Structures are given as structure tokens and as C-alpha cells.
Amino acid sequence: MQFGLTGEQEMIVSTVRSFVENEIYPHEALVERTGEVPAEIAQGIKQKVLDMGFYASNFPESAGGPGLSHLEFALVERELGRGSMALTHFFGRPQNILMACKGEQIERYLSPAVKGERMDALAMTEPDAGSDVRGMKCTAVRDGGDWVVNGSKHFISGADHADFFIVFVATGVDETPRGPKKRITCFLVDRGTPGFEVRKGYNSVSHRGYKNCILYFDDCRLPDAQVLGEVDGGFEVMNEWLYATRITVATMSVGRARRVFDMAVDYAAQRKQFGQEIGRFQGVSFQIADMVTEIDAADWLTLSSAWRLDQGLPANREIASAKVYASEMLARVTDAALQIHGGMGLMDELPIERFWRDARVERIWDGTSEIQRHIISREIFRPLGV
């Protein structure tokens, strides 16, 4: 078993980490204070990433991307996790699901997204359909040669900057022995399409500046050319491509935890109480030991799941395990780091409270911890007929 990185992989880690420290960290306080990413900063980040050749680093060379392996892309995401998500959003990682584009969709959506000319946003969640995707009420109905879409989506991340949207809607219902089962279809929807509106979303305590929006569809007409994948084949498209979002949450959780851990260690080595550094007290030093152990465990679990994808091995359970463990690890690590910093950990003069707030959402989006545990247990019991 070989756990070391190659020279090229080490260079990827070093390059992205340096970029985050030099191009992301300096703007974080501004974003936290204002809740906005100035357009010139966003464009500057995107252009520098394009110049580096790292834009759309989750896409293969055949689609115009850098052609990184799943493991190498996980390393990129891990380093990006150290920085503000509102800013690293412009590092540019279009949704992998765009690989399902065919025909003219490639030139209208896939290629511009990979080149950084157009930005996308994924729209699946609704007020009454979160973990229960089939519970969605946004529908598309046939009318002549078009589809007419009505309904809404919410919690749509990055929608404020998106040029087009990857939207999942219900397109019919099948009667099954277990009751009605909705058919789902994926559509590509351009901003500005008549009957489609993007509105301001909710104010979140997590990831300030990385906004969510609400999408409204009012008799929005879409031709068949806007279907991504096959009609009623939305779940197939989803299952083939959306595993990447769970690995992203896991790897970014590891990167964020390492940054917080470094802060906690530095503070514990300098802060003195009762005549000595607090890192000398077991109450602190044992917390540090537990933190690094959990971070390392989450790191290896995550990287091994990406490695399995590169080897063509089944990885659904492993990816779910990585997502649930890494996101919950981040919550424990940020809480411990705040405790080590004492009262100052809660003050906005330090970024600790920001990481503590940001950590909470990782257990919810891209599949809650409960959904991940369902996936893990299902994979274990399914071969036994349970």
C-alpha cells in the first residue's frame, strides 16, 4: 500500500494552498463584514485560476478541462476548503453533471462552463422537497412541442452569479406497488428565460457571501433541446454525476478543519495561564491530540474514496462514509478550537467563530448525515436481501 503523493500531486497541493493563502485569505474579512464579493475581486480570482490552468479542474481533457484524477481533484478541493467559500466559488468547478450534455448543448453549456465564460448553478431543493427528492412539486407538463414549467426551488447556491441553471423537475407519476412515484427530468434553463425569475434567498449564518437564491417558474416554456439526459431520466443523470458533490463536502471539511487546527495549536503554544502555556495542560493537549487524529482519519477516508473512483471500484458507501464522518468531524474540531480560544473564540476579531458557524451546514447540504447513514446501511444490507 502506497499512501504518499507523487511529485506532481505535491505540486498541486502546494500551488492551490499558496493561491488560497495569497488570493483568498486577504479578502475574507471584507466578505464576512459586508456579505458581498465585489465583482472586481470575483473576476480577478477567476482570471488568475484560468491563467494557472486550474479552472474546471474537475473536468477531463476531452471536455477542455485539466484532466485531473478524482484523487487529484480531491486534493484541490481540500486546499480550497481552507478559504471562504464565497471567494473560492470563483475558482470555478462547474457541475460534473454537465458531462451529460449532448449535441448543441456542448457548445451552449458544457464548453462555456469549462472555459469560464458561463457559470452554472444546480437547482434541486424545494421548500417541501429536501432529502425527499421525489417529493418535489415543481412540474413540467407537455404543451405542444414544449414543456411548461411551474413551481419554485430554494436554497440554490451560487444562483446570484449563474448564467444558466441545471434544474430537476417532476414530469409525471408512475403507479407502483409502493404507491405513486414521480418521474424526474433535468432541464438546462438560461437566466432571462421568459417565465423564469431568480430572487434573493434567505440570510444564512453559514458561509456569508456565498448566497442562496429562490427560483420561480411561472408558465416557463422550454423546448426538448433543454432536456439534459433523457426525459424522465433525471435520477439516472443524478446518480451518475452527483456523487462528486459529496466528496467535495468531505474534502473541504478536512481542509477547513486543518486550518482551524493550526490556529488552535498556535494559540495553545502561546497563550499562558497559571504561569505556563495552556498547551501543557492535558485538558488542552488531549483535545489537540483528538483533533488531529480525527482530521487524519477523515482525510484518509476521503482520499481513499476518491482513489476508488480512479480504480473503477464501487465507492458509493465509501463516499457516503467520508461525507458523514468528515462533516461531523469538522463540527467537533471547530467547537474544540473555539473552546481552546476561550471567550475570544466567539469574537469576530478572530475567524474561529466563522468556522464554527460555517461548519454547521456541512451536515445538511448535499445529503444530510441521516441520508448518508441510510446509503451506508443500505449498501451493507442489500447483498443480504434486507
Side-chain angles (χ1 to χ4, degrees):
M1 300 177 72
Q2 175 57 259
F3 291 101
L5 301 181
T6 66
E8 183 176 344
Q9 291 168 343
E10 292 281 9
M11 184 177 68
I12 289 172
V13 171
S14 175
T15 301
V16 179
R17 182 175 300 182
S18 177
F19 181 89
V20 171
E21 291 174 348
N22 293 305
E23 305 295 339
I24 302 298
Y25 287 4
H27 304 300
E28 289 181 336
L30 173 66
V31 173
E32 278 298 304
R33 186 173 67 254
T34 65
E36 302 286 342
V37 179
E40 63 274 15
I41 292 177
Q43 186 56 41
I45 292 172
K46 179 191 284 189
Q47 189 57 55
K48 288 173 182 176
V49 176
L50 285 165
D51 294 342
M52 289 166 52
F54 273 89
Y55 201 89
S57 50
N58 53 325
F59 278 77
E61 290 181 348
S62 61
L68 301 185
S69 67
H70 288 99
L71 174 58
E72 289 163 346
F73 180 61
L75 295 173
V76 170
E77 291 283 50
R78 188 181 70 184
E79 297 310 313
L80 292 178
R82 292 174 173 268
S84 162
M85 184 168 283
L87 292 160
T88 59
H89 175 65
F90 298 98
F91 198 90
R93 290 94 77 210
Q95 296 290 333
N96 291 64
I97 201 170
L98 290 174
M99 286 296 294
C101 285
K102 298 177 181 178
E104 68 168 7
Q105 292 178 346
I106 295 174
E107 293 304 315
R108 290 181 60 197
Y109 299 103
L110 173 59
S111 294
V114 172
K115 294 175 182 176
E117 297 168 355
R118 305 187 76 192
M119 295 194 78
D120 62 295
L122 183 69
M124 191 179 303
T125 305
E126 298 179 8
D128 295 317
S131 297
D132 179 16
V133 177
R134 288 194 189 274
M136 63 175 59
K137 297 178 180 178
C138 187
T139 61
V141 178
R142 274 288 192 189
D143 184 42
D146 294 335
W147 293 91
V148 179
V149 184
N150 283 285
S152 66
K153 299 287 180 181
H154 77 165
F155 294 158
I156 310 307
S157 302
D160 50 331
H161 297 288
D163 300 294
F164 68 93
F165 300 79
I166 303 162
V167 186
F168 288 83
V169 298
T171 46
V173 179
D174 290 325
E175 294 298 330
T176 72
R178 300 179 65 178
K181 185 177 181 181
K182 290 184 180 179
R183 300 194 298 271
I184 307 297
T185 301
C186 183
F187 290 89
L188 295 165
V189 185
D190 292 300
R191 182 184 288 274
T193 298
F196 171 54
E197 183 181 1
V198 181
R199 298 182 189 173
K200 182 179 182 296
Y202 315 98
N203 293 322
S204 173
V205 301
S206 296
H207 300 298
R208 287 176 181 164
Y210 185 65
K211 299 180 180 180
N212 66 84
C213 295
I214 302 173
L215 311 185
Y216 290 93
F217 297 87
D218 183 10
D219 287 339
C220 176
R221 302 186 74 89
L222 300 173
D224 277 334
Q226 300 307 113
V227 173
L228 182 62
E230 302 297 329
V231 173
D232 298 333
F235 262 95
E236 286 73 14
V237 176
M238 194 186 308
N239 292 332
E240 183 175 1
W241 297 109
L242 292 188
Y243 61 80
T245 62
R246 287 183 279 151
I247 293 184
T248 291
V249 172
T251 53
M252 295 189 84
S253 293
V254 171
R256 201 163 292 126
R258 289 215 185 273
R259 184 176 174 188
V260 173
F261 172 77
D262 290 343
M263 293 177 184
V265 170
D266 289 344
Y267 188 80
Q270 297 175 31
R271 170 72 167 171
K272 289 187 177 182
Q273 291 287 279
F274 304 103
Q276 61 181 342
E277 296 82 1
I278 63 173
R280 293 180 180 272
F281 296 108
Q282 287 186 350
V284 173
S285 64
F286 282 15
Q287 287 191 76
I288 294 293
D290 288 343
M291 290 163 75
V292 75
T293 300
E294 287 206 64
I295 293 170
D296 285 346
D299 199 4
W300 291 119
L301 184 60
T302 302
L303 295 181
S304 68
S305 68
W307 176 86
R308 289 182 67 86
L309 288 177
D310 287 328
Q311 307 308 309
L313 298 172
N316 198 36
R317 176 181 66 80
E318 288 79 4
I319 292 172
S321 294
K323 199 277 183 180
V324 69
Y325 185 78
S327 61
E328 295 186 354
M329 171 279 298
L330 177 61
R332 293 188 289 270
V333 167
T334 53
D335 190 74
L338 193 152
Q339 189 72 17
I340 289 170
H341 280 78
M344 282 305 298
L346 285 167
M347 304 300 121
D348 61 11
E349 280 78 8
L350 297 177
I352 300 298
E353 59 86 23
R354 165 163 64 90
F355 288 107
W356 182 60
R357 283 187 286 104
D358 290 351
R360 188 60 185 87
V361 73
E362 309 300 341
R363 289 176 276 166
I364 297 174
W365 59 11
D366 292 299
T368 64
S369 291
E370 291 74 22
I371 290 296
Q372 303 311 314
R373 288 185 167 91
H374 170 69
I375 293 171
I376 295 164
S377 58
R378 182 187 62 192
E379 292 289 314
I380 292 171
F381 284 114
R382 180 175 284 168
L384 304 177
V386 178

PDB file of all heavy atoms in Angstrom, residues 2-3 70 76 92 101-102 126 130 133 147 151 172 199-200 221 224 253 278 299 317 357 369:
ATOM      1  N   GLN A   2       0.544   2.166  -0.887  1.00  0.00           N
ATOM      2  CA  GLN A   2       1.342   3.384  -1.017  1.00  0.00           C
ATOM      3  C   GLN A   2       0.468   4.581  -0.666  1.00  0.00           C
ATOM      4  O   GLN A   2      -0.502   4.895  -1.366  1.00  0.00           O
ATOM      5  CB  GLN A   2       1.869   3.499  -2.458  1.00  0.00           C
ATOM      6  CG  GLN A   2       2.616   4.794  -2.747  1.00  0.00           C
ATOM      7  CD  GLN A   2       3.789   5.022  -1.815  1.00  0.00           C
ATOM      8  OE1 GLN A   2       3.697   5.792  -0.874  1.00  0.00           O
ATOM      9  NE2 GLN A   2       4.883   4.326  -2.080  1.00  0.00           N
ATOM     10  N   PHE A   3       0.810   5.274   0.429  1.00  0.00           N
ATOM     11  CA  PHE A   3      -0.002   6.391   0.895  1.00  0.00           C
ATOM     12  C   PHE A   3       0.590   7.749   0.535  1.00  0.00           C
ATOM     13  O   PHE A   3      -0.019   8.787   0.789  1.00  0.00           O
ATOM     14  CB  PHE A   3      -0.184   6.324   2.415  1.00  0.00           C
ATOM     15  CG  PHE A   3      -1.050   5.185   2.868  1.00  0.00           C
ATOM     16  CD1 PHE A   3      -0.480   4.024   3.371  1.00  0.00           C
ATOM     17  CD2 PHE A   3      -2.429   5.269   2.773  1.00  0.00           C
ATOM     18  CE1 PHE A   3      -1.282   2.970   3.791  1.00  0.00           C
ATOM     19  CE2 PHE A   3      -3.237   4.217   3.189  1.00  0.00           C
ATOM     20  CZ  PHE A   3      -2.668   3.059   3.699  1.00  0.00           C
ATOM     21  N   HIS A  70      -9.692  11.804  -9.942  1.00  0.00           N
ATOM     22  CA  HIS A  70     -10.578  12.081  -8.818  1.00  0.00           C
ATOM     23  C   HIS A  70      -9.770  12.396  -7.561  1.00  0.00           C
ATOM     24  O   HIS A  70     -10.138  13.286  -6.782  1.00  0.00           O
ATOM     25  CB  HIS A  70     -11.489  10.883  -8.558  1.00  0.00           C
ATOM     26  CG  HIS A  70     -12.546  10.691  -9.604  1.00  0.00           C
ATOM     27  ND1 HIS A  70     -12.414   9.783 -10.638  1.00  0.00           N
ATOM     28  CD2 HIS A  70     -13.744  11.298  -9.796  1.00  0.00           C
ATOM     29  CE1 HIS A  70     -13.488   9.830 -11.400  1.00  0.00           C
ATOM     30  NE2 HIS A  70     -14.309  10.742 -10.925  1.00  0.00           N
ATOM     31  N   VAL A  76      -7.277  19.254  -4.598  1.00  0.00           N
ATOM     32  CA  VAL A  76      -7.580  20.656  -4.906  1.00  0.00           C
ATOM     33  C   VAL A  76      -8.680  21.156  -3.979  1.00  0.00           C
ATOM     34  O   VAL A  76      -8.551  22.220  -3.352  1.00  0.00           O
ATOM     35  CB  VAL A  76      -8.018  20.819  -6.381  1.00  0.00           C
ATOM     36  CG1 VAL A  76      -8.560  22.232  -6.627  1.00  0.00           C
ATOM     37  CG2 VAL A  76      -6.856  20.541  -7.318  1.00  0.00           C
ATOM     38  N   GLY A  92     -13.882  28.139  -9.715  1.00  0.00           N
ATOM     39  CA  GLY A  92     -14.546  27.562 -10.887  1.00  0.00           C
ATOM     40  C   GLY A  92     -14.507  26.058 -10.982  1.00  0.00           C
ATOM     41  O   GLY A  92     -13.560  25.486 -11.522  1.00  0.00           O
ATOM     42  N   CYS A 101     -24.198  16.584 -21.267  1.00  0.00           N
ATOM     43  CA  CYS A 101     -24.609  17.396 -22.412  1.00  0.00           C
ATOM     44  C   CYS A 101     -24.366  16.665 -23.725  1.00  0.00           C
ATOM     45  O   CYS A 101     -23.361  15.952 -23.876  1.00  0.00           O
ATOM     46  CB  CYS A 101     -23.837  18.722 -22.432  1.00  0.00           C
ATOM     47  SG  CYS A 101     -24.375  19.934 -21.203  1.00  0.00           S
ATOM     48  N   LYS A 102     -25.269  16.867 -24.672  1.00  0.00           N
ATOM     49  CA  LYS A 102     -25.144  16.251 -25.991  1.00  0.00           C
ATOM     50  C   LYS A 102     -25.417  17.281 -27.075  1.00  0.00           C
ATOM     51  O   LYS A 102     -26.092  18.284 -26.844  1.00  0.00           O
ATOM     52  CB  LYS A 102     -26.134  15.088 -26.132  1.00  0.00           C
ATOM     53  CG  LYS A 102     -25.912  13.940 -25.157  1.00  0.00           C
ATOM     54  CD  LYS A 102     -26.983  12.865 -25.338  1.00  0.00           C
ATOM     55  CE  LYS A 102     -26.792  11.726 -24.346  1.00  0.00           C
ATOM     56  NZ  LYS A 102     -27.868  10.701 -24.484  1.00  0.00           N
ATOM     57  N   GLU A 126     -36.475  22.060  -2.866  1.00  0.00           N
ATOM     58  CA  GLU A 126     -37.688  22.867  -2.792  1.00  0.00           C
ATOM     59  C   GLU A 126     -38.103  22.989  -1.328  1.00  0.00           C
ATOM     60  O   GLU A 126     -37.630  22.231  -0.473  1.00  0.00           O
ATOM     61  CB  GLU A 126     -38.816  22.214  -3.596  1.00  0.00           C
ATOM     62  CG  GLU A 126     -38.538  22.079  -5.077  1.00  0.00           C
ATOM     63  CD  GLU A 126     -39.697  21.406  -5.825  1.00  0.00           C
ATOM     64  OE1 GLU A 126     -40.765  21.201  -5.199  1.00  0.00           O
ATOM     65  OE2 GLU A 126     -39.522  21.096  -7.013  1.00  0.00           O
ATOM     66  N   GLY A 130     -36.560  18.249   0.244  1.00  0.00           N
ATOM     67  CA  GLY A 130     -35.129  18.349   0.514  1.00  0.00           C
ATOM     68  C   GLY A 130     -34.509  16.974   0.324  1.00  0.00           C
ATOM     69  O   GLY A 130     -34.164  16.569  -0.777  1.00  0.00           O
ATOM     70  N   VAL A 133     -36.294  13.838  -2.518  1.00  0.00           N
ATOM     71  CA  VAL A 133     -36.248  14.486  -3.827  1.00  0.00           C
ATOM     72  C   VAL A 133     -37.529  14.242  -4.616  1.00  0.00           C
ATOM     73  O   VAL A 133     -38.034  15.130  -5.305  1.00  0.00           O
ATOM     74  CB  VAL A 133     -35.018  13.994  -4.626  1.00  0.00           C
ATOM     75  CG1 VAL A 133     -35.003  14.614  -6.019  1.00  0.00           C
ATOM     76  CG2 VAL A 133     -33.736  14.343  -3.892  1.00  0.00           C
ATOM     77  N   TRP A 147     -42.177  22.103 -23.066  1.00  0.00           N
ATOM     78  CA  TRP A 147     -42.504  21.774 -21.683  1.00  0.00           C
ATOM     79  C   TRP A 147     -42.848  23.081 -20.982  1.00  0.00           C
ATOM     80  O   TRP A 147     -42.153  24.085 -21.146  1.00  0.00           O
ATOM     81  CB  TRP A 147     -41.312  21.126 -20.984  1.00  0.00           C
ATOM     82  CG  TRP A 147     -40.939  19.775 -21.508  1.00  0.00           C
ATOM     83  CD1 TRP A 147     -40.043  19.496 -22.502  1.00  0.00           C
ATOM     84  CD2 TRP A 147     -41.446  18.527 -21.069  1.00  0.00           C
ATOM     85  NE1 TRP A 147     -39.964  18.145 -22.712  1.00  0.00           N
ATOM     86  CE2 TRP A 147     -40.817  17.512 -21.831  1.00  0.00           C
ATOM     87  CE3 TRP A 147     -42.379  18.145 -20.103  1.00  0.00           C
ATOM     88  CZ2 TRP A 147     -41.078  16.165 -21.655  1.00  0.00           C
ATOM     89  CZ3 TRP A 147     -42.641  16.801 -19.907  1.00  0.00           C
ATOM     90  CH2 TRP A 147     -41.997  15.821 -20.692  1.00  0.00           C
ATOM     91  N   GLY A 151     -43.611  26.251 -10.605  1.00  0.00           N
ATOM     92  CA  GLY A 151     -43.165  25.877  -9.270  1.00  0.00           C
ATOM     93  C   GLY A 151     -41.986  26.714  -8.827  1.00  0.00           C
ATOM     94  O   GLY A 151     -41.677  27.749  -9.433  1.00  0.00           O
ATOM     95  N   GLY A 172     -44.041  13.644 -14.407  1.00  0.00           N
ATOM     96  CA  GLY A 172     -45.057  12.602 -14.474  1.00  0.00           C
ATOM     97  C   GLY A 172     -45.062  11.767 -13.211  1.00  0.00           C
ATOM     98  O   GLY A 172     -44.232  11.953 -12.316  1.00  0.00           O
ATOM     99  N   ARG A 199     -34.724  35.175  -7.465  1.00  0.00           N
ATOM    100  CA  ARG A 199     -34.917  36.159  -6.408  1.00  0.00           C
ATOM    101  C   ARG A 199     -33.963  35.903  -5.240  1.00  0.00           C
ATOM    102  O   ARG A 199     -33.436  34.804  -5.081  1.00  0.00           O
ATOM    103  CB  ARG A 199     -36.354  36.118  -5.885  1.00  0.00           C
ATOM    104  CG  ARG A 199     -37.412  36.464  -6.919  1.00  0.00           C
ATOM    105  CD  ARG A 199     -38.798  36.440  -6.296  1.00  0.00           C
ATOM    106  NE  ARG A 199     -39.858  36.563  -7.295  1.00  0.00           N
ATOM    107  CZ  ARG A 199     -41.155  36.425  -7.021  1.00  0.00           C
ATOM    108  NH1 ARG A 199     -41.550  36.164  -5.773  1.00  0.00           N
ATOM    109  NH2 ARG A 199     -42.050  36.545  -7.992  1.00  0.00           N
ATOM    110  N   LYS A 200     -33.760  36.929  -4.438  1.00  0.00           N
ATOM    111  CA  LYS A 200     -32.914  36.841  -3.252  1.00  0.00           C
ATOM    112  C   LYS A 200     -33.438  35.754  -2.328  1.00  0.00           C
ATOM    113  O   LYS A 200     -34.646  35.586  -2.151  1.00  0.00           O
ATOM    114  CB  LYS A 200     -32.900  38.184  -2.526  1.00  0.00           C
ATOM    115  CG  LYS A 200     -32.003  38.243  -1.291  1.00  0.00           C
ATOM    116  CD  LYS A 200     -32.059  39.626  -0.672  1.00  0.00           C
ATOM    117  CE  LYS A 200     -31.130  39.743   0.543  1.00  0.00           C
ATOM    118  NZ  LYS A 200     -31.549  38.840   1.657  1.00  0.00           N
ATOM    119  N   ARG A 221     -41.706  28.211 -20.591  1.00  0.00           N
ATOM    120  CA  ARG A 221     -41.705  27.251 -21.694  1.00  0.00           C
ATOM    121  C   ARG A 221     -40.279  26.874 -22.086  1.00  0.00           C
ATOM    122  O   ARG A 221     -39.432  27.739 -22.314  1.00  0.00           O
ATOM    123  CB  ARG A 221     -42.442  27.823 -22.904  1.00  0.00           C
ATOM    124  CG  ARG A 221     -43.889  28.211 -22.626  1.00  0.00           C
ATOM    125  CD  ARG A 221     -44.600  28.638 -23.891  1.00  0.00           C
ATOM    126  NE  ARG A 221     -44.911  27.480 -24.730  1.00  0.00           N
ATOM    127  CZ  ARG A 221     -46.027  26.774 -24.640  1.00  0.00           C
ATOM    128  NH1 ARG A 221     -46.956  27.088 -23.745  1.00  0.00           N
ATOM    129  NH2 ARG A 221     -46.243  25.753 -25.448  1.00  0.00           N
ATOM    130  N   ASP A 224     -37.582  20.734 -26.064  1.00  0.00           N
ATOM    131  CA  ASP A 224     -36.900  19.469 -25.775  1.00  0.00           C
ATOM    132  C   ASP A 224     -35.382  19.628 -25.771  1.00  0.00           C
ATOM    133  O   ASP A 224     -34.678  18.868 -25.102  1.00  0.00           O
ATOM    134  CB  ASP A 224     -37.286  18.407 -26.807  1.00  0.00           C
ATOM    135  CG  ASP A 224     -38.603  17.729 -26.477  1.00  0.00           C
ATOM    136  OD1 ASP A 224     -38.963  17.682 -25.280  1.00  0.00           O
ATOM    137  OD2 ASP A 224     -39.276  17.260 -27.405  1.00  0.00           O
ATOM    138  N   SER A 253     -14.265  19.930   4.140  1.00  0.00           N
ATOM    139  CA  SER A 253     -14.358  19.853   5.595  1.00  0.00           C
ATOM    140  C   SER A 253     -12.993  19.548   6.195  1.00  0.00           C
ATOM    141  O   SER A 253     -12.618  20.108   7.236  1.00  0.00           O
ATOM    142  CB  SER A 253     -15.375  18.777   6.008  1.00  0.00           C
ATOM    143  OG  SER A 253     -16.693  19.136   5.644  1.00  0.00           O
ATOM    144  N   ILE A 278      -0.925  27.090  27.777  1.00  0.00           N
ATOM    145  CA  ILE A 278      -2.076  26.226  28.031  1.00  0.00           C
ATOM    146  C   ILE A 278      -1.960  24.888  27.315  1.00  0.00           C
ATOM    147  O   ILE A 278      -2.624  23.914  27.686  1.00  0.00           O
ATOM    148  CB  ILE A 278      -3.403  26.919  27.648  1.00  0.00           C
ATOM    149  CG1 ILE A 278      -3.457  27.226  26.136  1.00  0.00           C
ATOM    150  CG2 ILE A 278      -3.604  28.194  28.467  1.00  0.00           C
ATOM    151  CD1 ILE A 278      -4.831  27.747  25.703  1.00  0.00           C
ATOM    152  N   ASP A 299      -9.358  12.577   6.511  1.00  0.00           N
ATOM    153  CA  ASP A 299      -8.555  12.818   5.317  1.00  0.00           C
ATOM    154  C   ASP A 299      -8.335  11.527   4.546  1.00  0.00           C
ATOM    155  O   ASP A 299      -8.586  11.441   3.334  1.00  0.00           O
ATOM    156  CB  ASP A 299      -7.215  13.430   5.736  1.00  0.00           C
ATOM    157  CG  ASP A 299      -6.513  14.143   4.587  1.00  0.00           C
ATOM    158  OD1 ASP A 299      -7.093  14.227   3.488  1.00  0.00           O
ATOM    159  OD2 ASP A 299      -5.386  14.619   4.792  1.00  0.00           O
ATOM    160  N   ARG A 317     -20.717   3.603  -0.936  1.00  0.00           N
ATOM    161  CA  ARG A 317     -20.699   3.546   0.531  1.00  0.00           C
ATOM    162  C   ARG A 317     -19.531   4.343   1.083  1.00  0.00           C
ATOM    163  O   ARG A 317     -19.674   5.086   2.065  1.00  0.00           O
ATOM    164  CB  ARG A 317     -20.605   2.096   1.024  1.00  0.00           C
ATOM    165  CG  ARG A 317     -20.490   1.998   2.551  1.00  0.00           C
ATOM    166  CD  ARG A 317     -20.368   0.567   3.032  1.00  0.00           C
ATOM    167  NE  ARG A 317     -19.128  -0.063   2.606  1.00  0.00           N
ATOM    168  CZ  ARG A 317     -17.949   0.127   3.216  1.00  0.00           C
ATOM    169  NH1 ARG A 317     -17.842   0.969   4.225  1.00  0.00           N
ATOM    170  NH2 ARG A 317     -16.874  -0.507   2.790  1.00  0.00           N
ATOM    171  N   ARG A 357     -19.506  28.603  12.815  1.00  0.00           N
ATOM    172  CA  ARG A 357     -20.806  28.792  12.164  1.00  0.00           C
ATOM    173  C   ARG A 357     -20.874  28.057  10.830  1.00  0.00           C
ATOM    174  O   ARG A 357     -21.868  27.392  10.511  1.00  0.00           O
ATOM    175  CB  ARG A 357     -21.060  30.287  11.925  1.00  0.00           C
ATOM    176  CG  ARG A 357     -21.481  31.073  13.142  1.00  0.00           C
ATOM    177  CD  ARG A 357     -21.862  32.496  12.768  1.00  0.00           C
ATOM    178  NE  ARG A 357     -20.729  33.344  12.446  1.00  0.00           N
ATOM    179  CZ  ARG A 357     -20.371  33.706  11.216  1.00  0.00           C
ATOM    180  NH1 ARG A 357     -21.049  33.263  10.162  1.00  0.00           N
ATOM    181  NH2 ARG A 357     -19.334  34.501  11.016  1.00  0.00           N
ATOM    182  N   SER A 369     -26.619  14.063   7.087  1.00  0.00           N
ATOM    183  CA  SER A 369     -25.931  12.940   7.733  1.00  0.00           C
ATOM    184  C   SER A 369     -26.837  11.714   7.792  1.00  0.00           C
ATOM    185  O   SER A 369     -26.374  10.572   7.653  1.00  0.00           O
ATOM    186  CB  SER A 369     -25.494  13.329   9.149  1.00  0.00           C
ATOM    187  OG  SER A 369     -24.450  14.289   9.107  1.00  0.00           O
TER     188      SER A 369
END
